[in-house]
Amino acid sequence: MSSIILEARDIRYRYPRGMEAIRGISFHIRKGEKIALVGPNGAGKSTLMLMFNGMIRPESGIILFDNEPVSYDRESLRKLRKRVGFVLQNPDRQIIAPTVYQDIAFGPVNLGYSEQSVKEAVTGALRYVGLEGFERRPPHLLSGGEKKRVAIAGVLAMDPDVLVFDEPTSGLDPSGSEDIMELLDELHHQGKTIIISTHDIELAYPWADRAILLLEGQILQEAIPDVAFGRPKYVRQAHLSMPILLDLYFELEKRGYSLPEKKPRTVLDMLHVIDCAFQKTPCCHASPGTISVFDVDVSPHDSLPGWLASHPGVSIGAMGTRAKQHAADNRISLDFTYGVIDKCILRAVIGESSLILTSTGMVRRVEQRVLEFDKVSSIRVPVRLLDPENTVEKQDNPVDPFPGC
Amino acid sequence: MYEELLEDVAQANGLREVNTYIKLVVGLGAILLCLVSTSYVAPLFIAVLLSGAIIILARIDARTYVELFIVPFWFAAMSVIVIILLTGGSEVYWSWAPLPWLSLSITRESLNEGIFVFCRVIGGMSALIFIALTTPMTDLFIVMRRCRIPEAVVDLAMMIYRTIFMIMHLLVQTYQAQVMRLGYSSFRESIESFATLCGSVFIASWDAGEDLVRAMDARCYAGKFAILGETGPVNIPSLAAAGLFLLVSLCIVIITKNIVAI
């Protein structure tokens, strides 16, 4: 298990002339974890999060970052804030400068980077959030989702280890929220620790490694999502609702079906549960479809149209900002933009082939996920990496099928 | 409350990518030429050419441009009528003395003077509007800093710029909320609504200001505002076009220095 990066020991905080907002909270967060802080309005989520980068100082108790107590002098705070990036709920309140470029450059400039490295940091951050070419735009002419991305890029430009998001998906349309959640996934994949606060259970449930339920300034529960969201009593107490997949799982269980131990977190998992419940082999097709993976970072960009022309009717999904950008540049219409691997596996199970556009770092993830699926189901879904030369299609994924339930 | 903002028009204009300095030199040069010209021809030429550039090259909607021009146009027209009536001259076309101490007349000289002043005004106006419509404020900040305007002033200007749009947004929202609940329905009501509007926007902008400080702190503010982006590169066609325009205008100024309208 990786080391602890952020820890709180019995912290308390009272707003001036107000009631106690944080009433004795202790927890720890490990490096590379994805944490969802969940709770009703006024539970103290935002207050707690503002303590992570020293914006609010607890009245009693201590916060440790990287096993060192946070000290509140100017210089230490600067160091802390460089390593803990904070994205506010309202991007309008976070964007300071008159142009996108200047806003993203704000952090790096104040950290004293040279002009060249500021430029690199800004370009990198913009590329990451998929806003290349927006440098000179003024923020007030951007859409809500774009503003959110600018705010995120402004924090990414400082290259923090921990990213704290207050309600990352509030005020965004469903597809915008999914894009942001995928961006968070991508960041997590790069080794960042990510903490979000949210009301959106359906988004947090499949995403988080661990959920912390807050109520009236105290931790109600701290556990993996299936446990945290799986107890009706706590869920009701925290003014939340149970994730629909979990609800369905419990209802099936109550009807006496024998279900696998692992709770479903995605539609794919749920289908497996249903297959087990009704003792049916999932594949009614002779052979499952193939998942092809196209790496937009290494493969030549002009090889894709030819492949697509020779494989009509293939569903296409893109994972990650660069892949989506690539699809937009090449006018490839995408069928899936979120939860892509699962969707493609679902296609494969019913005998359809699909293509995933992604970046180098994510290729392995496709293989891992498919492998996981192969293990629990008795199907073997072939994954192919489209070769840069696009002549040989390499066969991957040599797994022995083994039954799950 | 839904008027398009000059700044937003400028952000999307067709000459956005042209180097800011070239645009400024064209605009300021044109104003200077209008001022030194002794005949009406050069200012008129400048007005026509720059208006063409605004509508065709910068692709500004002609209606937007006309609407923008109409206010100074009427102002100039009225001033010019007064100039024509009050300026004396030898060749009198028409005169009238309603009061012993007031005599109005139209003379050859006064007409010439009037036409000259009028052309000068519209020439200068078109140059000014050219700058306003092709060079957004964000680009001017870069020029401001290059011109050695103190950093604190530029930083403040940039923050004010950003805040203006935020407050404007708040203002529109609050105003709409009031109208939806029948604010401004009577005179008395209007005054009350307006007072609440001012109050709530003041409080909201105060809040926004505090948030701004917090946002800057959270991103390691150490007294430095972001460096500026870059302006478009100086490219040969735009440089040549600007040079040609100023040169031709200057020639016209010299050639036509003795030409009068009538």
Side-chain angles (χ1 to χ4, degrees):
Chain A
M1 223 174 211
S2 56
S3 59
I4 290 172
I5 190 153
L6 200 62
E7 189 178 349
R9 286 187 193 156
D10 194 33
I11 49 171
R12 286 169 187 277
Y13 182 76
R14 182 192 296 276
Y15 276 106
R17 290 180 302 282
M19 57 171 288
E20 212 167 18
I22 303 290
R23 302 192 295 184
I25 284 181
S26 307
F27 62 87
H28 57 78
I29 292 167
R30 289 177 188 283
K31 267 182 195 152
E33 265 192 312
K34 292 188 282 189
I35 302 286
L37 269 178
V38 208
N41 295 324
K45 297 190 299 277
S46 300
T47 314
L48 182 61
M49 289 179 117
L50 283 169
M51 288 179 181
F52 294 163
N53 70 344
M55 297 303 287
I56 292 180
R57 183 178 186 164
E59 263 162 27
S60 67
I62 46 169
I63 292 186
L64 292 98
F65 180 76
D66 226 0
N67 297 317
E68 303 241 341
V70 170
S71 46
Y72 290 84
D73 59 287
R74 222 181 146 72
E75 200 41 44
S76 328
L77 277 181
R78 263 168 61 82
K79 276 189 196 133
L80 175 69
R81 286 169 188 163
K82 193 234 164 273
R83 297 190 60 193
V84 182
F86 198 106
V87 181
L88 296 174
Q89 179 177 0
N90 182 353
D92 267 326
R93 294 287 163 92
Q94 174 145 4
I95 300 172
I96 308 156
T99 65
V100 169
Y101 181 91
Q102 282 178 295
D103 189 73
I104 298 173
F106 185 87
V109 165
N110 278 292
L111 288 172
Y113 289 12
S114 73
E115 197 158 324
Q116 187 55 34
S117 23
V118 169
K119 204 170 168 188
E120 276 162 21
V122 175
T123 323
L126 274 175
R127 215 165 79 104
Y128 212 95
V129 298
L131 287 181
E132 285 149 308
F134 279 62
E135 284 87 347
R136 291 170 63 199
R137 298 251 208 118
H140 67 269
L141 293 181
L142 303 178
S143 74
E146 286 164 348
K147 276 186 203 167
K148 199 94 195 182
R149 279 160 184 272
V150 171
I152 295 174
V155 171
L156 285 183
M158 303 201 293
D159 192 28
D161 302 322
V162 179
L163 281 154
V164 184
F165 294 86
D166 195 359
E167 304 270 353
T169 58
S170 76
L172 300 182
D173 52 27
S175 128
S177 316
E178 287 179 350
D179 284 350
I180 294 288
M181 291 312 275
E182 226 214 23
L183 186 65
L184 298 195
D185 253 359
E186 220 176 324
L187 287 168
H188 169 253
H189 221 69
Q190 282 204 336
K192 311 255 186 227
T193 309
I194 298 177
I195 306 166
I196 67 168
S197 79
T198 186
H199 296 292
D200 195 336
I201 297 292
E202 296 296 342
L203 278 175
Y205 173 62
W207 176 85
D209 290 332
R210 217 144 49 88
I212 298 177
L213 260 62
L214 278 185
L215 187 69
E216 291 169 1
Q218 282 174 316
I219 292 181
L220 190 64
Q221 202 177 30
E222 184 189 349
I224 53 168
D226 355 333
V227 177
F229 300 139
R231 295 194 183 149
K233 189 181 140 216
Y234 286 143
V235 168
R236 221 177 12 254
Q237 232 179 331
H239 299 249
L240 301 169
S241 57
M242 198 182 280
I244 196 109
L245 291 178
L246 214 48
D247 206 1
L248 198 55
Y249 177 89
F250 288 127
E251 289 306 326
L252 281 173
E253 201 174 39
K254 277 180 204 156
R255 292 196 174 189
Y257 290 108
S258 78
L259 302 179
E261 197 65 19
K262 192 172 169 282
K263 310 275 190 300
R265 288 180 77 175
T266 62
V267 172
L268 183 62
D269 295 349
M270 192 66 222
L271 281 175
H272 175 63
V273 168
I274 291 171
D275 287 335
C276 285
F278 299 99
Q279 265 132 42
K280 191 173 150 250
T281 38
C283 195
C284 36
H285 293 259
S287 61
T290 310
I291 299 177
S292 307
V293 181
F294 181 82
D295 187 338
V296 293
D297 290 334
V298 286
S299 302
H301 286 189
D302 49 353
S303 64
L304 197 53
W307 190 91
L308 285 175
S310 61
H311 295 76
V314 173
S315 313
I316 308 165
M319 246 165 61
T321 323
R322 276 206 296 291
K324 279 175 196 163
Q325 191 72 47
H326 179 88
D329 292 347
N330 291 285
R331 294 171 194 217
I332 300 167
S333 67
L334 297 173
D335 301 295
F336 320 122
T337 53
Y338 183 63
V340 173
I341 310 176
D342 279 18
K343 296 260 172 58
C344 288
I345 296 175
L346 286 170
R347 287 286 149 279
V349 170
I350 55 167
E352 288 173 17
S353 293
S354 51
L355 171 72
I356 300 178
L357 307 180
T358 190
S359 44
T360 310
M362 309 281 271
V363 172
R364 243 172 62 84
R365 205 160 141 226
V366 178
E367 290 166 355
Q368 278 172 354
R369 179 75 183 118
V370 174
L371 224 73
E372 252 172 58
F373 172 79
D374 289 349
K375 264 185 197 165
V376 292
S377 68
S378 48
I379 311 162
R380 192 160 156 274
V381 177
V383 177
R384 279 178 189 168
L385 187 64
L386 292 193
D387 213 67
E389 276 72 45
N390 207 21
T391 44
V392 198
E393 289 188 349
K394 188 173 76 180
Q395 182 94 27
D396 255 328
N397 191 22
V399 206
D400 294 327
F402 98 56
C405 48
Chain B
M1 280 273 171
Y2 294 104
E3 286 158 45
E4 66 182 336
L5 299 169
L6 206 57
E7 177 67 12
D8 295 350
V9 176
Q11 289 286 356
N13 88 86
L15 295 175
R16 177 81 209 272
E17 295 309 317
V18 174
N19 185 283
T20 314
Y21 294 97
I22 293 181
K23 288 184 282 194
L24 282 182
V25 166
V26 167
L28 295 176
I31 292 176
L32 216 63
L33 287 172
C34 284
L35 288 178
V36 299
S37 169
T38 50
S39 102
Y40 73 99
V41 183
L44 198 63
F45 172 76
I46 287 172
V48 170
L49 223 64
L50 284 184
S51 301
I54 290 169
I55 292 165
I56 296 161
L57 293 180
R59 292 196 291 277
I60 303 291
D61 186 33
R63 254 184 62 184
T64 309
Y65 180 60
V66 170
E67 272 170 22
L68 209 59
F69 214 104
I70 213 100
V71 175
F73 180 86
W74 283 119
F75 189 71
M78 284 191 294
S79 318
V80 163
I81 289 170
V82 175
I83 289 174
I84 291 174
L85 290 177
L86 291 185
T87 311
S90 49
E91 206 171 311
V92 180
Y93 295 141
W94 176 86
S95 80
W96 180 45
L99 292 165
W101 43 269
L102 179 73
S103 76
L104 303 174
S105 66
I106 297 178
T107 67
R108 207 172 97 106
E109 289 80 359
S110 76
L111 270 181
N112 275 331
E113 181 72 12
I115 289 169
F116 172 54
V117 169
F118 184 74
C119 288
R120 230 184 193 182
V121 170
I122 63 164
M125 266 323 291
S126 61
L128 212 59
I129 295 177
F130 176 80
I131 296 179
L133 286 178
T134 60
T135 321
M137 203 58 210
T138 46
D139 288 355
L140 288 180
F141 291 136
I142 304 176
V143 179
M144 278 162 78
R145 185 157 286 179
R146 290 270 163 77
C147 294
R148 305 279 165 91
I149 291 176
E151 218 151 276
V153 177
V154 183
D155 287 358
L156 212 57
M158 289 198 281
M159 260 184 256
I160 292 169
Y161 172 86
R162 170 84 188 110
T163 319
I164 284 173
F165 292 100
M166 254 163 57
I167 294 178
M168 190 112 104
H169 190 65
L170 284 172
L171 206 68
V172 171
Q173 272 180 343
T174 317
Y175 175 78
Q176 284 172 341
Q178 288 180 326
V179 172
M180 278 175 215
R181 280 179 283 161
L182 310 180
Y184 304 98
S185 50
S186 66
F187 179 70
R188 209 190 139 79
E189 180 62 46
S190 298
I191 292 175
E192 260 169 39
S193 301
F194 184 71
T196 354
L197 179 71
C198 293
S200 70
V201 169
F202 175 76
I203 293 169
S205 51
W206 187 281
D207 264 356
E210 286 193 338
D211 278 353
L212 182 75
V213 174
R214 247 177 262 140
M216 284 164 69
D217 261 348
R219 284 160 72 187
C220 301
Y221 182 60
K224 271 179 267 177
F225 211 73
I227 44 152
L228 300 149
E230 290 152 356
T231 152
V234 181
N235 60 356
I236 305 296
S238 57
L239 193 65
L244 194 68
F245 164 71
L246 290 177
L247 200 70
V248 171
S249 305
L250 183 66
C251 292
I252 293 176
V253 168
I254 294 166
I255 295 165
T256 63
K257 69 178 177 211
N258 293 322
I259 291 182
V260 287
I262 302 159

PDB file of all heavy atoms in Angstrom, chain A residues 186 294-297 319-323 357-364:
ATOM      1  N   GLU A 186      -8.089  10.264 -15.951  1.00  0.00           N
ATOM      2  CA  GLU A 186      -6.822  10.349 -16.664  1.00  0.00           C
ATOM      3  C   GLU A 186      -5.739  10.891 -15.726  1.00  0.00           C
ATOM      4  O   GLU A 186      -4.622  10.388 -15.703  1.00  0.00           O
ATOM      5  CB  GLU A 186      -7.016  11.300 -17.844  1.00  0.00           C
ATOM      6  CG  GLU A 186      -6.323  10.865 -19.108  1.00  0.00           C
ATOM      7  CD  GLU A 186      -6.643  11.811 -20.243  1.00  0.00           C
ATOM      8  OE1 GLU A 186      -7.798  12.303 -20.298  1.00  0.00           O
ATOM      9  OE2 GLU A 186      -5.751  12.083 -21.058  1.00  0.00           O
ATOM     10  N   PHE A 294      -6.508   1.906 -30.930  1.00  0.00           N
ATOM     11  CA  PHE A 294      -5.669   2.760 -31.764  1.00  0.00           C
ATOM     12  C   PHE A 294      -4.997   3.782 -30.871  1.00  0.00           C
ATOM     13  O   PHE A 294      -5.668   4.558 -30.181  1.00  0.00           O
ATOM     14  CB  PHE A 294      -6.539   3.444 -32.818  1.00  0.00           C
ATOM     15  CG  PHE A 294      -5.779   4.345 -33.748  1.00  0.00           C
ATOM     16  CD1 PHE A 294      -5.101   3.820 -34.838  1.00  0.00           C
ATOM     17  CD2 PHE A 294      -5.745   5.713 -33.533  1.00  0.00           C
ATOM     18  CE1 PHE A 294      -4.404   4.661 -35.695  1.00  0.00           C
ATOM     19  CE2 PHE A 294      -5.048   6.552 -34.390  1.00  0.00           C
ATOM     20  CZ  PHE A 294      -4.376   6.020 -35.474  1.00  0.00           C
ATOM     21  N   ASP A 295      -3.689   3.781 -30.851  1.00  0.00           N
ATOM     22  CA  ASP A 295      -2.943   4.707 -30.001  1.00  0.00           C
ATOM     23  C   ASP A 295      -2.675   5.998 -30.779  1.00  0.00           C
ATOM     24  O   ASP A 295      -1.872   6.010 -31.709  1.00  0.00           O
ATOM     25  CB  ASP A 295      -1.629   4.032 -29.584  1.00  0.00           C
ATOM     26  CG  ASP A 295      -0.871   4.857 -28.556  1.00  0.00           C
ATOM     27  OD1 ASP A 295      -1.118   6.066 -28.494  1.00  0.00           O
ATOM     28  OD2 ASP A 295      -0.052   4.272 -27.841  1.00  0.00           O
ATOM     29  N   VAL A 296      -3.349   7.076 -30.400  1.00  0.00           N
ATOM     30  CA  VAL A 296      -3.222   8.317 -31.177  1.00  0.00           C
ATOM     31  C   VAL A 296      -1.842   8.953 -31.023  1.00  0.00           C
ATOM     32  O   VAL A 296      -1.472   9.820 -31.802  1.00  0.00           O
ATOM     33  CB  VAL A 296      -4.300   9.365 -30.800  1.00  0.00           C
ATOM     34  CG1 VAL A 296      -5.665   8.885 -31.207  1.00  0.00           C
ATOM     35  CG2 VAL A 296      -4.257   9.694 -29.323  1.00  0.00           C
ATOM     36  N   ASP A 297      -1.069   8.532 -30.021  1.00  0.00           N
ATOM     37  CA  ASP A 297       0.245   9.141 -29.818  1.00  0.00           C
ATOM     38  C   ASP A 297       1.314   8.545 -30.725  1.00  0.00           C
ATOM     39  O   ASP A 297       2.238   9.233 -31.131  1.00  0.00           O
ATOM     40  CB  ASP A 297       0.692   8.987 -28.359  1.00  0.00           C
ATOM     41  CG  ASP A 297      -0.148   9.855 -27.441  1.00  0.00           C
ATOM     42  OD1 ASP A 297      -0.672  10.861 -27.940  1.00  0.00           O
ATOM     43  OD2 ASP A 297      -0.267   9.523 -26.259  1.00  0.00           O
ATOM     44  N   MET A 319     -11.058   7.602 -25.526  1.00  0.00           N
ATOM     45  CA  MET A 319     -10.739   7.711 -24.115  1.00  0.00           C
ATOM     46  C   MET A 319      -9.670   8.759 -23.939  1.00  0.00           C
ATOM     47  O   MET A 319      -8.616   8.676 -24.558  1.00  0.00           O
ATOM     48  CB  MET A 319     -10.190   6.375 -23.640  1.00  0.00           C
ATOM     49  CG  MET A 319     -11.048   5.672 -22.643  1.00  0.00           C
ATOM     50  SD  MET A 319     -10.520   3.982 -22.507  1.00  0.00           S
ATOM     51  CE  MET A 319      -8.872   4.107 -21.945  1.00  0.00           C
ATOM     52  N   GLY A 320      -9.925   9.737 -23.137  1.00  0.00           N
ATOM     53  CA  GLY A 320      -8.909  10.759 -22.901  1.00  0.00           C
ATOM     54  C   GLY A 320      -9.069  11.942 -23.835  1.00  0.00           C
ATOM     55  O   GLY A 320      -9.615  11.832 -24.929  1.00  0.00           O
ATOM     56  N   THR A 321      -8.574  13.085 -23.363  1.00  0.00           N
ATOM     57  CA  THR A 321      -8.763  14.335 -24.087  1.00  0.00           C
ATOM     58  C   THR A 321      -8.078  14.327 -25.441  1.00  0.00           C
ATOM     59  O   THR A 321      -8.627  14.789 -26.426  1.00  0.00           O
ATOM     60  CB  THR A 321      -8.180  15.493 -23.265  1.00  0.00           C
ATOM     61  OG1 THR A 321      -8.438  15.231 -21.897  1.00  0.00           O
ATOM     62  CG2 THR A 321      -8.803  16.785 -23.635  1.00  0.00           C
ATOM     63  N   ARG A 322      -6.870  13.783 -25.478  1.00  0.00           N
ATOM     64  CA  ARG A 322      -6.134  13.821 -26.745  1.00  0.00           C
ATOM     65  C   ARG A 322      -6.817  12.968 -27.800  1.00  0.00           C
ATOM     66  O   ARG A 322      -6.895  13.350 -28.966  1.00  0.00           O
ATOM     67  CB  ARG A 322      -4.696  13.371 -26.533  1.00  0.00           C
ATOM     68  CG  ARG A 322      -3.796  14.485 -26.058  1.00  0.00           C
ATOM     69  CD  ARG A 322      -2.364  14.236 -26.457  1.00  0.00           C
ATOM     70  NE  ARG A 322      -1.806  13.053 -25.843  1.00  0.00           N
ATOM     71  CZ  ARG A 322      -1.536  12.945 -24.541  1.00  0.00           C
ATOM     72  NH1 ARG A 322      -1.812  13.933 -23.732  1.00  0.00           N
ATOM     73  NH2 ARG A 322      -1.014  11.853 -24.053  1.00  0.00           N
ATOM     74  N   ALA A 323      -7.324  11.814 -27.359  1.00  0.00           N
ATOM     75  CA  ALA A 323      -8.008  10.937 -28.303  1.00  0.00           C
ATOM     76  C   ALA A 323      -9.262  11.617 -28.833  1.00  0.00           C
ATOM     77  O   ALA A 323      -9.582  11.540 -30.014  1.00  0.00           O
ATOM     78  CB  ALA A 323      -8.361   9.623 -27.628  1.00  0.00           C
ATOM     79  N   LEU A 357     -10.073   4.699 -29.435  1.00  0.00           N
ATOM     80  CA  LEU A 357      -8.974   5.633 -29.657  1.00  0.00           C
ATOM     81  C   LEU A 357      -8.475   6.051 -28.287  1.00  0.00           C
ATOM     82  O   LEU A 357      -9.266   6.441 -27.442  1.00  0.00           O
ATOM     83  CB  LEU A 357      -9.464   6.889 -30.389  1.00  0.00           C
ATOM     84  CG  LEU A 357     -10.233   6.708 -31.686  1.00  0.00           C
ATOM     85  CD1 LEU A 357     -10.614   8.065 -32.234  1.00  0.00           C
ATOM     86  CD2 LEU A 357      -9.404   5.952 -32.691  1.00  0.00           C
ATOM     87  N   THR A 358      -7.184   5.997 -28.083  1.00  0.00           N
ATOM     88  CA  THR A 358      -6.679   6.406 -26.782  1.00  0.00           C
ATOM     89  C   THR A 358      -5.210   6.801 -26.861  1.00  0.00           C
ATOM     90  O   THR A 358      -4.587   6.692 -27.913  1.00  0.00           O
ATOM     91  CB  THR A 358      -6.912   5.303 -25.735  1.00  0.00           C
ATOM     92  OG1 THR A 358      -6.619   5.824 -24.466  1.00  0.00           O
ATOM     93  CG2 THR A 358      -6.046   4.089 -26.014  1.00  0.00           C
ATOM     94  N   SER A 359      -4.685   7.281 -25.739  1.00  0.00           N
ATOM     95  CA  SER A 359      -3.282   7.683 -25.719  1.00  0.00           C
ATOM     96  C   SER A 359      -2.452   6.570 -25.083  1.00  0.00           C
ATOM     97  O   SER A 359      -2.983   5.678 -24.434  1.00  0.00           O
ATOM     98  CB  SER A 359      -3.131   8.988 -24.947  1.00  0.00           C
ATOM     99  OG  SER A 359      -3.879   8.938 -23.776  1.00  0.00           O
ATOM    100  N   THR A 360      -1.142   6.670 -25.271  1.00  0.00           N
ATOM    101  CA  THR A 360      -0.250   5.568 -24.888  1.00  0.00           C
ATOM    102  C   THR A 360      -0.471   5.082 -23.458  1.00  0.00           C
ATOM    103  O   THR A 360      -0.544   3.882 -23.215  1.00  0.00           O
ATOM    104  CB  THR A 360       1.219   6.007 -25.041  1.00  0.00           C
ATOM    105  OG1 THR A 360       1.354   6.578 -26.334  1.00  0.00           O
ATOM    106  CG2 THR A 360       2.159   4.839 -24.905  1.00  0.00           C
ATOM    107  N   GLY A 361      -0.607   6.044 -22.531  1.00  0.00           N
ATOM    108  CA  GLY A 361      -0.722   5.676 -21.124  1.00  0.00           C
ATOM    109  C   GLY A 361      -1.946   4.832 -20.812  1.00  0.00           C
ATOM    110  O   GLY A 361      -1.983   4.111 -19.809  1.00  0.00           O
ATOM    111  N   MET A 362      -2.960   4.943 -21.661  1.00  0.00           N
ATOM    112  CA  MET A 362      -4.223   4.301 -21.336  1.00  0.00           C
ATOM    113  C   MET A 362      -4.379   2.929 -22.004  1.00  0.00           C
ATOM    114  O   MET A 362      -5.316   2.206 -21.700  1.00  0.00           O
ATOM    115  CB  MET A 362      -5.387   5.209 -21.749  1.00  0.00           C
ATOM    116  CG  MET A 362      -5.267   6.624 -21.235  1.00  0.00           C
ATOM    117  SD  MET A 362      -5.736   6.782 -19.518  1.00  0.00           S
ATOM    118  CE  MET A 362      -7.484   7.098 -19.713  1.00  0.00           C
ATOM    119  N   VAL A 363      -3.472   2.604 -22.916  1.00  0.00           N
ATOM    120  CA  VAL A 363      -3.609   1.342 -23.648  1.00  0.00           C
ATOM    121  C   VAL A 363      -3.615   0.152 -22.697  1.00  0.00           C
ATOM    122  O   VAL A 363      -4.451  -0.741 -22.788  1.00  0.00           O
ATOM    123  CB  VAL A 363      -2.474   1.186 -24.687  1.00  0.00           C
ATOM    124  CG1 VAL A 363      -2.505  -0.204 -25.301  1.00  0.00           C
ATOM    125  CG2 VAL A 363      -2.600   2.235 -25.773  1.00  0.00           C
ATOM    126  N   ARG A 364      -2.697   0.214 -21.751  1.00  0.00           N
ATOM    127  CA  ARG A 364      -2.588  -0.875 -20.788  1.00  0.00           C
ATOM    128  C   ARG A 364      -3.873  -1.059 -20.001  1.00  0.00           C
ATOM    129  O   ARG A 364      -4.250  -2.159 -19.629  1.00  0.00           O
ATOM    130  CB  ARG A 364      -1.452  -0.571 -19.821  1.00  0.00           C
ATOM    131  CG  ARG A 364      -0.315  -1.589 -19.877  1.00  0.00           C
ATOM    132  CD  ARG A 364       0.833  -1.103 -19.029  1.00  0.00           C
ATOM    133  NE  ARG A 364       0.420  -0.983 -17.611  1.00  0.00           N
ATOM    134  CZ  ARG A 364       0.413  -2.004 -16.765  1.00  0.00           C
ATOM    135  NH1 ARG A 364       0.769  -3.200 -17.169  1.00  0.00           N
ATOM    136  NH2 ARG A 364       0.046  -1.831 -15.512  1.00  0.00           N
TER     137      ARG A 364
END
